[in-house]
Amino acid sequence: MNDHPLLRVNGLTHMYGARVGCRDVSFELWPGEVIGIVGESGSGKSTLLSCLSTRQRPTAGVVEYDTTDQGLVDVYGLSEPRQRMLMRTDWGIVHQNPRDGLRMGVSAGANVGERLMAVGARHYGRIREQAGTWLDKVEIDPTRMDDQPATFSGGMLQRLQIARNLVTHPRLVFMDEPTGGLDVSVQARLLDLLRRLVTDLGLSAIVVTHDLAVARLLAHRLMVMKDGQVVEHGLTDQVLDDPHHPYTQLLVSSVLQP
Amino acid sequence: MSTGYNFAYLDEQTKRMLRRAILKAVAIPGYQVPFGSREMPLPYGWGTGGIQVTAAVIGADDRLKVIDQGADDTTNAVSIRRFFARTAGVATTEKTREATVIQTRHRIPETPLSEGQIMVYQVPIPEPLRWLEPRETETRKMHALADYGAMHVKLYEDIARFGHIATTYDYPVLVGGRYLMRPSPIPKFDNPKMDNSPALQLFGAGREKRIYAVPPYTSVKSLDFEDHPFEVQRWDQACALCGSTESFLDEVVTDDQGGRMYVCSDSDYCGERRQEQGQ
């Protein structure tokens, strides 16, 4: 059915002056696939994610995305209005800190409805209805629709952020440490939810995480980064159960076994 | 007229700079043009933007009317009128029909404007997107890309909280189908008067250093939702003085026993009607 990938990355490099953000990253993401990017802090995971999602122009390299009308195009060759349109229709970005991705001054319903309004929805009743549906899907009680996000717990905020991103039915979601800062039981529920949404909606996703358990649960394939470079990649189980690169071996062995 | 001042207080080069900004603003309806705002002999917030625009457009044969909250006889209106009478020697009036330049704060006169008249609005905050986006670089980009969807978030929030769009003044409008504009803090009651108005409308923000304009016969559309259309305020009462049911009414407290009356905020309109009734 699909003979080309959803996202194709070739030789992506970003330098912060003389320092390396990420170097020579190439991969392909196919529709319905979830790729995990793991590595320690400072290994260039977030830089890579910013470069992929047009938030930071890379120093070198090409990021191509399969748009619905034009096929594979270089995202940095698109005009700014097109880039913005892509960001709020085809793509979603889940920030590590939900406060970065949410509008904290307006109600939960408005947060979910914002993307709809940004792409031209002008019917209050229908916007509200959709917001309610999505709050329900991410297990937030729809009666809390008119509450301010500041009254929500950390886990709820993260779920609200996810609803806000998924409301326009994106095809590709970038997640930066989606479970960072949450306690384990809340993490587990969020992962469950994410896994269900990804399967139900046929989403593709790129998940940056330093938590190998999260990677194992969510990702089909894994890329291991160190010092800005991808040192190993492959199927998740393969990488985690039979790590080849010394750094991956170190990473896998440093997980505490309860 | 006092001597020692250049005509209309500002020097000719400054007026030239202002006129350039005004011409550009008229050419791009609703677009905010930056200009070099000057220190004026009144504090920011009292109409320094409006007074500079008026100084730039007023000529010796103009007749100036200044209103503040609809009234000609409040402190701000009286002192700005006197300022131009002293520094430019222009004729002043309280009659909307007779005026060629009308500087206003918070209202548009009830009497319909006509061709050849210039409305000058005093603007505290020119940027309609400021509430949503604190960065100037970002709001400029949003204007450039006509990326205005987020503005509806504010209206959504109103309906979610109050059941209707509770924004009653400074109600955002789309000018000429392109630029989102703040109409200055006029009540939304006056918004329909801006649409396709035969008069030239100029907006000056002194502290924020921006001028924008709505040329005559330009569409000015108030934002709304399909199922919550734009509506203006309505009153159960008529004006206690002239009996008008069509004008914008002010609630005036008359005593400490809870007595109150509703009167037209446009003092010229109300006075004219009472005079007609007296005859």
Side-chain angles (χ1 to χ4, degrees), chain A residues 84 88 103 107 122 124-125, chain B residues 132 138 147 157 226-227:
Chain A
R84 285 191 173 213
R88 60 175 61 137
R103 220 180 257 291
S107 66
R122 293 290 178 268
Y124 175 79
Chain B
L132 300 152
E138 182 62 19
D147 187 4
E157 197 61 6
E226 285 159 23
D227 48 346

Side-chain angles (χ1 to χ4, degrees), chain A:
Chain A
M1 184 177 79
N2 281 303
D3 53 353
H4 47 251
L6 189 66
L7 192 76
R8 182 156 65 198
V9 183
N10 211 337
L12 194 73
T13 300
H14 188 76
M15 307 288 290
Y16 295 103
R19 282 174 223 288
V20 180
C22 59
R23 178 180 286 166
D24 201 22
V25 179
S26 304
F27 69 95
E28 285 177 350
L29 177 74
W30 293 79
E33 192 178 34
V34 179
I35 289 188
I37 303 175
V38 295
E40 60 193 6
S41 304
S43 59
K45 307 186 300 277
S46 298
T47 301
L48 176 61
L49 203 67
S50 305
C51 288
L52 294 177
S53 55
T54 72
R55 285 176 296 166
Q56 198 167 45
R57 184 176 277 275
T59 319
V62 183
V63 181
E64 284 171 304
Y65 175 73
D66 178 27
T67 54
T68 37
D69 51 343
Q70 291 174 305
L72 271 181
V73 290
D74 179 2
V75 292
Y76 285 96
L78 290 173
S79 65
E80 210 169 338
R82 280 292 310 266
Q83 277 186 9
R84 285 191 173 213
M85 202 59 188
L86 211 58
M87 286 273 247
R88 60 175 61 137
T89 53
D90 265 26
W91 291 3
I93 297 177
V94 177
H95 297 264
Q96 173 174 12
N97 183 348
R99 285 167 187 81
D100 295 341
L102 290 170
R103 220 180 257 291
M104 294 304 285
V106 299
S107 66
N111 264 296
V112 180
E114 179 174 349
R115 271 179 159 234
L116 295 172
M117 292 183 251
V119 297
R122 293 290 178 268
H123 191 285
Y124 175 79
R126 282 200 285 273
I127 293 169
R128 208 169 156 75
E129 197 184 292
Q130 284 203 44
T133 315
W134 274 100
L135 288 181
D136 195 42
K137 275 190 196 171
V138 297
E139 297 165 13
I140 294 176
D141 183 355
T143 56
R144 306 234 17 207
M145 181 140 88
D146 294 331
D147 292 355
Q148 298 284 314
T151 65
F152 285 15
S153 70
M156 281 170 83
L157 282 177
Q158 197 54 281
R159 278 178 282 148
L160 179 62
Q161 197 194 180
I162 289 163
R164 173 183 160 95
N165 272 290
L166 296 186
V167 68
T168 49
H169 299 281
R171 296 158 72 206
L172 173 58
V173 182
F174 299 98
M175 295 189 225
D176 193 356
E177 308 267 7
T179 56
L182 302 177
D183 63 54
V184 276
S185 62
V186 177
Q187 258 189 42
R189 277 179 58 201
L190 186 73
L191 286 173
D192 245 17
L193 175 79
L194 278 175
R195 212 144 70 129
R196 209 181 61 230
L197 288 173
V198 166
T199 358
D200 287 358
L201 305 169
L203 284 178
S204 302
I206 297 178
V207 186
V208 161
T209 180
H210 60 253
D211 187 338
L212 293 182
V214 170
R216 193 191 276 280
L217 267 172
L218 279 179
H220 303 131
R221 281 197 295 148
L222 215 54
M223 295 200 297
V224 184
M225 287 187 78
K226 185 181 189 307
D227 301 330
Q229 273 167 306
V230 176
V231 292
E232 185 165 356
H233 71 271
L235 295 174
T236 305
D237 293 346
Q238 215 170 6
V239 173
L240 292 183
D241 296 339
D242 181 20
H244 285 196
H245 192 274
Y247 174 70
T248 318
Q249 290 167 356
L250 179 75
L251 201 66
V252 172
S253 65
S254 44
V255 175
L256 294 173
Q257 301 295 335

Side-chain angles (χ1 to χ4, degrees), chain B residues 18 89 96 100 141 172 214 217 278:
Chain B
L18 279 158
T96 304
T100 55
K141 195 163 272 177
V214 177
Y217 303 110

